[in-house]
Amino acid sequence: MLNKWIWSNSDYETMSWHDNFVHAISYDPEKYSFELDIDHICEWIDPRNENGNFAFALAPATLIFENASDLDIDIKIGSVVDFSIHEIKREIVENKFRPDIPIFKFTIVMDHLGRIELNATDYKMYVRKKPIESDTLWFTKEKRGGISLERRIPET
């Protein structure tokens, strides 16, 4: 399930954002950060009955790409209601100005909508609440407490 509240670039290989619903996107020019408010799927729960539907352990989370640059957003939202991530790809790119600091190109592939590309030195994902079991892949705004880009984690 969830074994930590803050995730980063060093956790990339163990993470998945498949079907994580996006509630908001933001770019903060003062912090050079690109931010997403998502419902993070902490666990896919196997079907427990004959209908074969999965359940999900969901938690609201803030995904922040640090020292973001070269932001390119190509998303078409038509009648599609599901604004979710298919996958996030990562590759290292050359840092001509500071070779000692790695820069990564992140490609956020959106389900049926397009993609977001950006360069960043790292990402942090702050899981803001304890996961709750859900039959859907996302929370309503009321259930999740509205839109938030907070970097707070629950007190443990």
Side-chain angles (χ1 to χ4, degrees):
M1 187 124 137
L2 182 68
N3 58 6
K4 62 192 211 176
W5 298 104
I6 301 173
W7 300 77
S8 69
N9 211 25
S10 61
D11 301 305
Y12 176 82
E13 296 298 330
T14 63
M15 297 201 65
S16 172
W17 293 273
H18 182 70
D19 284 342
N20 283 206
F21 192 86
V22 178
H23 288 272
I25 61 174
S26 175
Y27 179 75
D28 186 336
E30 292 177 2
K31 295 178 183 172
Y32 298 99
S33 63
F34 180 71
E35 305 168 350
L36 300 171
D37 181 14
I38 63 175
D39 288 334
H40 183 63
I41 301 171
C42 301
E43 181 181 4
W44 291 63
I45 301 167
D46 287 334
R48 297 184 182 136
N49 53 39
E50 66 279 348
N51 71 9
N53 294 333
F54 281 86
F56 311 94
L58 291 179
T62 303
L63 178 58
I64 300 169
F65 294 90
E66 300 174 338
N67 301 304
S69 65
D70 301 308
L71 181 61
D72 182 10
I73 300 175
D74 183 13
I75 297 174
K76 180 179 180 177
I77 301 175
S79 60
V80 177
V81 190
D82 186 8
F83 188 42
S84 62
I85 297 170
H86 177 69
E87 68 177 321
I88 298 179
K89 299 177 185 179
R90 179 188 74 169
E91 62 184 87
I92 196 155
V93 295
E94 181 182 5
N95 186 341
K96 296 176 185 176
F97 302 106
R98 292 286 310 269
D100 56 317
I101 300 174
I103 295 179
F104 298 90
K105 177 182 177 181
F106 291 94
T107 303
I108 305 168
V109 180
M110 306 300 293
D111 281 332
H112 317 291
L113 299 174
R115 52 128 189 95
I116 300 169
E117 289 181 353
L118 68 145
N119 290 342
T121 56
D122 199 356
Y123 72 81
K124 297 276 187 311
M125 186 176 78
Y126 298 83
V127 179
R128 299 191 311 260
K129 292 184 180 180
K130 184 178 176 182
I132 299 172
E133 189 170 321
S134 173
D135 291 336
T136 63
L137 291 165
W138 62 86
F139 292 130
T140 63
K141 285 189 178 64
E142 295 78 28
K143 188 166 185 175
R144 69 192 312 274
I147 301 294
S148 176
L149 294 168
E150 290 289 328
R151 299 172 188 214
R152 278 187 297 211
I153 59 172
E155 293 183 20
T156 55

